[in-house]
Amino acid sequence: MTAETTIKAKDRNAIIQSLRAGVVPRSGQHLIQVGRVRELEALIKDINHICDEGATVRFVIGNFGSGKTFFLSLVRTIALQKKLVTVHADLNPNRRLHSSKGQARSLYAELMRNLSTRAKPEGGALSSVVEKFVSSAMTEARSRNVNPEVIIRERLDHLSEMVGGYDFAEVIAAYWRGHDTGDDVLKSNAVRWLRGEFSTKTDAKKALGVRTIVDDANFYDQLKLFARFVRLAGYEGFVVCLDELVNLYKLANTQARNSNYEQILRILNDSLQGTADGLGFVLGGTPEFLMDTRKGLYSYEALQTRLAENTFAGNGIVDFSHPVIRLASLSQEDLYVLLTKIRHVFAEGNADAYLISDAEIQGFMQHCFQRVGEAYFRTPRNTITAFVNLLAVLDQNPEVSVEDLVGKITIEPEQNPDLLPFEDDGQEDTPTQPSPTETVSEDVEADDDLASFKL
């Protein structure tokens, strides 16, 4: 086993346990990455543009099970290696881009909880970013022989021109005062405000002396502020990864959907017009979320115009400079390479410790094809879980042969839950809700799904 091929037991266990549970590993994605070379090159160009104080937005579109979540996770890892700060979250009924009942603030709080840096890739790095800003200000203050607060105020002055910038700067200054005086409560309150954890302006004013809080109305403005702040702290930029945007498509309330799409339009316009600094968005969704002209992004005319496909692309001709990047499903060849990489990780990089041969992997794939057809490699999550389970049994029972186990493997094709509407979408934009015995008028949600029926 050479140093170049050795895989640490910690990394190996994290990857194998995640795959066995059917979730994307939080680290070590490069060890099992297959394909997507040109797509990754396009996102790396975006990251470099962000480092040059630019702004980008990408819509990563792929069918259910095509690997969107894995791709977004890999992009985050690359961004961290290039000294950017990243945040990520999945949208759900309680986390949206726009709302009037706290769902947007809930999304912001989730993003801040998952804030990561290269030193803390697992999240929870918000305090570290603020500390780095304060430390760099103190270093400059010593070199200029002035009070650190003078430097902090000078740097934060750049934020005052932005929406909410004054109070943001006051919160950072309050953190410095707590740092300088040893007041841990003041530091904690400043971090709580930055995380969006204050629910009332009264509590924020009492704790920090500011008149605003992070709420549904200023969700996106706060992200733009934070993008500028991380650059002041010495990082290269700020990347926001949002997955499961299909949950916006599933909203039954037309006004709620359009309000969220307006927020996406604002993000897209800022990126295209260059009015945001050092900020990038990577948004993951399904083809229905993008192209459905009744409920998807294409139902919003301004978004359809900006996201329409390049008419010169198609039939093998691609345009990776377009805001929309489409992820094709895995091929059988891709899955074979992926399974060999999983085998390599399971053996901690030692080829002599492989538990299954290349021919036996092919036999496993043939068995899966007979069970569920092409779905086994197009939506391969259950296939991968079964393969890891097979390796686990072989590892613990060396007397058992692969042929004896393969015939016992049962794989079910994955069901796509993305087209199911929310049972409760929070209809925050509807003034009144009819009781179960009332009839909804025909003009309400006229463009939404009809009720299903059976003969």
Side-chain angles (χ1 to χ4, degrees):
M1 189 187 304
T2 64
E4 289 77 18
T5 60
T6 300
I7 298 173
K8 294 181 180 178
K10 176 183 177 182
D11 295 334
R12 178 262 189 197
N13 293 335
I15 294 171
I16 296 302
Q17 290 172 7
S18 297
L19 295 178
R20 197 170 187 179
V23 298
V24 174
R26 299 196 66 152
S27 61
Q29 298 93 340
H30 63 284
L31 296 173
I32 55 173
Q33 164 66 16
V34 295
R36 315 283 195 228
V37 173
R38 299 188 65 184
E39 292 90 340
L40 283 174
E41 288 176 349
L43 268 296
I44 290 173
K45 287 182 180 178
D46 284 359
I47 291 172
N48 292 333
H49 184 55
I50 295 168
C51 293
D52 292 333
E53 301 186 31
T56 65
V57 61
R58 289 283 188 167
F59 295 83
V60 179
I61 302 298
N63 291 317
F64 176 75
S66 62
K68 295 185 299 297
T69 301
F70 183 90
F71 185 80
L72 265 63
S73 180
L74 188 60
V75 170
R76 290 201 312 271
T77 301
I78 295 172
L80 292 176
Q81 293 301 316
K82 290 183 174 289
K83 299 183 181 180
L84 282 80
V85 176
T86 71
V87 292
H88 66 276
D90 292 347
L91 271 63
N92 63 31
N94 296 317
R95 294 199 289 262
R96 306 180 195 169
L97 297 172
H98 180 278
S99 71
S100 60
K101 289 188 176 180
Q103 290 96 331
R105 185 169 71 89
S106 176
L107 175 59
Y108 179 87
E110 178 69 11
L111 289 171
M112 291 298 110
R113 279 193 292 270
N114 293 329
L115 188 141
S116 304
T117 62
R118 186 165 65 171
K120 298 189 71 173
E122 300 298 322
L126 177 59
S127 297
S128 300
V129 172
V130 181
E131 284 284 352
K132 183 174 181 179
F133 171 81
V134 171
S135 298
S136 64
M138 293 174 64
T139 300
E140 183 178 348
R142 285 194 294 268
S143 65
R144 293 171 52 181
N145 196 27
V146 297
N147 191 306
E149 187 165 0
V150 174
I151 304 300
I152 290 174
R153 291 290 182 180
E154 286 181 1
R155 293 186 177 185
L156 296 178
D157 186 58
H158 296 289
L159 304 180
S160 60
E161 66 190 50
M162 303 178 67
V163 176
Y166 178 80
D167 281 340
F168 188 97
E170 286 300 314
V171 170
I172 301 299
Y175 185 95
W176 153 249
R177 291 196 299 273
H179 178 89
D180 189 41
T181 61
D183 188 343
D184 291 335
V185 173
L186 186 58
K187 290 173 62 177
S188 176
N189 285 335
V191 172
R192 283 183 58 214
W193 189 95
L194 293 171
R195 286 178 178 160
E197 295 178 359
F198 278 99
S199 57
T200 67
K201 296 179 181 179
T202 302
D203 291 343
K205 190 174 189 306
K206 182 178 178 181
L208 297 165
V210 295
R211 298 178 179 273
T212 63
I213 59 174
V214 181
D215 56 21
D216 292 338
N218 60 14
F219 159 79
Y220 176 50
D221 293 316
Q222 287 295 131
L223 290 179
K224 290 200 293 185
L225 277 169
F226 209 87
R228 186 167 294 189
F229 175 71
V230 299
R231 293 186 65 84
L232 294 176
Y235 296 94
E236 296 295 325
F238 191 48
V239 174
V240 180
C241 293
L242 298 175
D243 201 3
E244 304 297 342
L245 265 75
V246 71
N247 284 312
L248 301 181
Y249 166 83
K250 291 163 63 177
L251 290 173
N253 186 279
T254 303
Q255 188 174 349
R257 277 201 315 274
N258 287 341
S259 295
N260 279 272
Y261 290 167
E262 286 174 4
Q263 194 74 283
I264 293 177
L265 177 63
R266 185 183 173 199
I267 293 170
L268 184 60
N269 285 341
D270 281 355
S271 171
L272 296 176
Q273 296 170 357
T275 56
D277 298 332
L279 175 61
F281 281 85
V282 186
L283 312 176
T286 61
E288 294 84 8
F289 159 72
L290 173 68
M291 300 184 67
D292 191 317
T293 55
R294 292 175 56 249
K295 297 176 64 176
L297 290 182
Y298 278 14
S299 68
Y300 202 87
E301 185 176 355
L303 284 172
Q304 182 178 7
T305 301
R306 289 161 176 77
L307 299 178
E309 294 186 11
N310 188 332
T311 56
F312 296 100
N315 297 323
I317 301 174
V318 296
D319 176 15
F320 287 110
S321 65
H322 192 271
V324 176
I325 289 184
R326 294 182 178 273
L327 297 183
S329 298
L330 290 180
S331 66
Q332 292 192 74
E333 292 76 12
D334 289 333
L335 182 60
Y336 173 75
V337 174
L338 174 57
L339 295 182
T340 60
K341 288 191 173 187
I342 293 173
R343 175 185 64 178
H344 189 71
V345 171
F346 198 96
E348 296 185 16
N350 182 7
D352 295 332
Y354 287 171
L355 300 172
I356 186 171
S357 68
D358 292 349
E360 288 169 336
I361 291 178
Q362 294 172 12
F364 169 82
M365 294 174 62
Q366 180 62 30
H367 172 79
C368 295
F369 178 77
Q370 293 172 353
R371 288 282 182 174
V372 296
E374 291 187 352
Y376 90 93
F377 64 85
R378 295 192 182 279
T379 54
R381 186 179 326 184
N382 290 341
T383 305
I384 292 170
T385 299
F387 184 73
V388 175
N389 287 337
L390 173 64
L391 293 178
V393 171
L394 292 173
D395 184 43
Q396 299 173 67
N397 303 273
E399 73 281 0
V400 179
S401 68
V402 175
E403 291 78 9
D404 293 337
L405 296 176
V406 168
K408 299 178 182 179
I409 294 174
T410 301
I411 297 178
E412 298 293 334
E414 289 200 71
Q415 301 299 318
N416 184 356
D418 289 346
L419 302 183
L420 297 176
F422 291 146
E423 293 182 3
D424 176 14
D425 67 1
Q427 311 256 344
E428 72 270 7
D429 297 305
T430 304
T432 59
Q433 297 294 326
S435 67
T437 59
E438 292 176 336
T439 302
V440 181
S441 61
E442 294 181 355
D443 61 339
V444 177
E445 302 303 327
D447 64 338
D448 288 336
D449 289 339
L450 299 176
S452 61
F453 66 92
K454 294 182 180 179
L455 293 177

